[in-house]
Amino acid sequence: MTRIIVLTSGKGGVGKSSMSINIGYALAKKGERVCLIDADFGLKNLDVMMGLENRVIYDLKDVIQSKCTLQQILVKDKRMDSLFLLPACKSLSLENINVEYMIKMIEELKKDFDYILIDSPAGIEKGFQYASGLSNEAIIVVTLDIVSLRDADRVVGLLLKQGVNQLHMIVNKYNEDDIHKGRCLTLKDAHDILSIPLLGIVYDDHSMIEANNKGLPIYMNYHSSMGGCFDRIVRRLEGEEVAFQRNKKKPFLERIFR
Amino acid sequence: MNIEVKGINDILVMKCNENVCFDEILKDFNELLEQPIFNQDSYYPRAFFDFGCRQLQNNELKELIKIISEKKKILFEGISIPRNYQHIHMNKEQIHNGEEIYVYQETLFLGTINTGGYVYCYRDVYFLNEVKGTIIAMNGDVKIYGHHFAHAQIIINRKILHDVTTSAFVSIYYKDDEIVYNEEDGYDKNHCFNFG
């Protein structure tokens, strides 16, 4: 049965799109057929971050206007055969999108995919409501700062109201040094506030920014240990019990001459 | 014998065992009525039935009255009605940021009230878990009980108690135009008998 998961957070800039992409890659690597939906209408990002910008010919607007089929707008990833992107379109406003149509579209996609990951826009406005209304499971991406957790708490309340009961939390930009020095909140604080199970932690790594800029997701960068975080997230998503990955410290000399 | 008979003020009080099935009680009652005391000429003792906590069903009551009217050996004086305990509504949910909840009956909250969560209450409320949000009493009679407030806000009759932080059991209510904040000594005072 196809799992439809929305990745949301409330606050912007916590890494929803990065998580969506890398989880998508990790799932595809496991052999699952994955469709990533960029639900950030008007501000499409996923195609850029996946390095697929030049491959996008049609978008959702064309399907709505019957200029092409749903299959035609799906962009196949250049690295993973079982990963597809359904790009958003910059010119389409939410007023022009019919929820009924979106649900019908998801039903059609369900035939071809094991996972449908929906990258929700920031905020709790219409875009978020569209994205969350299409799914029955959600991953809340948070960072260990109070604003992110407060916003996530608001989102959790809204999701529960909408009947999305299967909720998971991913803590992004996790920095042990900051936690030890008391500069940010802890995992326990996050759990106390949200009371939802922790699906995984993703370490704070500058190479994530670089990866997004280059259109090469960090999961596909084999020199980075970050891929392990996403592998574990995916395994937990599939019900396995996996220990959390420990961040490898850089060698002494590398830390001095960085 | 599941019926114990005691004479109190010219009335026979029949204390029935509340832990056996009702048929047993009826059987014993039938046997009891055959005793010599109930078979004296022109003597009809008045009998009161004490069923303890047993809540009699309609058909059970009919059965009892049927026996009394058929045997014609006692005068029915009445039955005890178990005390109806006030039921407290239980809310197990955590109240998240931005969520608003209206409480129209006495409610026990088991989940946390997160910062940004609002509880509007028309009746007394009890909080078992942490309260970090805002509790608004919709009238001056409402009492708020809790034992873990962390920077919570309490509003009663437009008076505001800011930054309520305590780990002792407290009751908060409105009295003489101000919000009274009382640390309770123990659980005797906190209306626990209402729970359940």
Side-chain angles (χ1 to χ4, degrees), chain A residues 173-188:
Chain A
K173 301 179 187 176
Y174 182 84
N175 188 324
E176 278 173 350
D177 196 33
D178 280 352
I179 291 174
H180 289 152
K181 287 180 179 163
R183 287 193 288 242
C184 67
L185 301 178
T186 62
L187 284 177
K188 188 185 173 300

Side-chain angles (χ1 to χ4, degrees), chain B residues 60-108:
Chain B
E60 291 174 340
L61 187 62
K62 275 180 192 168
E63 284 289 313
L64 179 75
I65 290 170
K66 194 179 159 194
I67 293 172
I68 294 169
S69 56
E70 275 176 4
K71 299 256 178 180
K72 294 187 171 64
K73 288 179 178 174
I74 55 164
L75 295 172
F76 181 63
E77 188 65 25
I79 62 166
S80 65
I81 296 169
R83 187 182 160 192
N84 249 344
Y85 284 92
Q86 199 176 350
H87 282 288
I88 285 194
H89 179 69
M90 248 190 238
N91 188 319
K92 296 175 185 172
E93 308 291 317
Q94 183 176 16
I95 309 298
H96 295 277
N97 181 14
E99 235 176 295
E100 291 181 335
I101 184 162
Y102 287 82
V103 174
Y104 297 101
Q105 53 181 317
E106 265 188 289
T107 303
L108 171 68

Side-chain angles (χ1 to χ4, degrees), chain A residues 150-151 153-157 160-161 192-195, chain B residues 93-100 112 114-116 132:
Chain A
R150 283 271 186 281
D151 289 356
D153 187 31
R154 176 93 173 100
V155 165
V156 168
L160 290 172
K161 245 184 203 172
D192 284 350
I193 292 173
L194 300 183
S195 297
Chain B
E93 308 291 317
Q94 183 176 16
I95 309 298
H96 295 277
N97 181 14
E99 235 176 295
E100 291 181 335
T112 313
N114 281 1
T115 310
K132 294 186 271 189

Side-chain angles (χ1 to χ4, degrees), chain A residues 179-223:
Chain A
I179 291 174
H180 289 152
K181 287 180 179 163
R183 287 193 288 242
C184 67
L185 301 178
T186 62
L187 284 177
K188 188 185 173 300
D189 294 327
H191 186 262
D192 284 350
I193 292 173
L194 300 183
S195 297
I196 55 174
L198 181 64
L199 187 66
I201 49 177
V202 178
Y203 288 94
D204 192 13
D205 195 329
H206 291 295
S207 52
M208 182 76 93
I209 302 165
E210 190 187 341
N212 290 338
N213 287 336
K214 284 183 177 170
L216 174 74
I218 200 160
Y219 185 81
M220 300 307 288
N221 180 353
Y222 296 110
H223 301 295

Side-chain angles (χ1 to χ4, degrees), chain A residues 108-127:
Chain A
E108 209 171 309
L109 287 172
K110 272 163 101 174
K111 294 175 198 159
D112 300 324
F113 294 100
D114 302 313
Y115 280 87
I116 297 172
L117 302 180
I118 305 170
D119 180 29
S120 157
I124 51 168
E125 304 306 320
K126 233 173 179 177

Side-chain angles (χ1 to χ4, degrees), chain A residues 50-65:
Chain A
M50 290 169 81
L52 299 174
E53 202 174 7
N54 297 331
R55 295 191 179 199
V56 177
I57 301 164
Y58 298 113
D59 59 29
L60 205 56
K61 191 180 171 187
D62 297 315
V63 185
I64 290 169
Q65 292 173 350

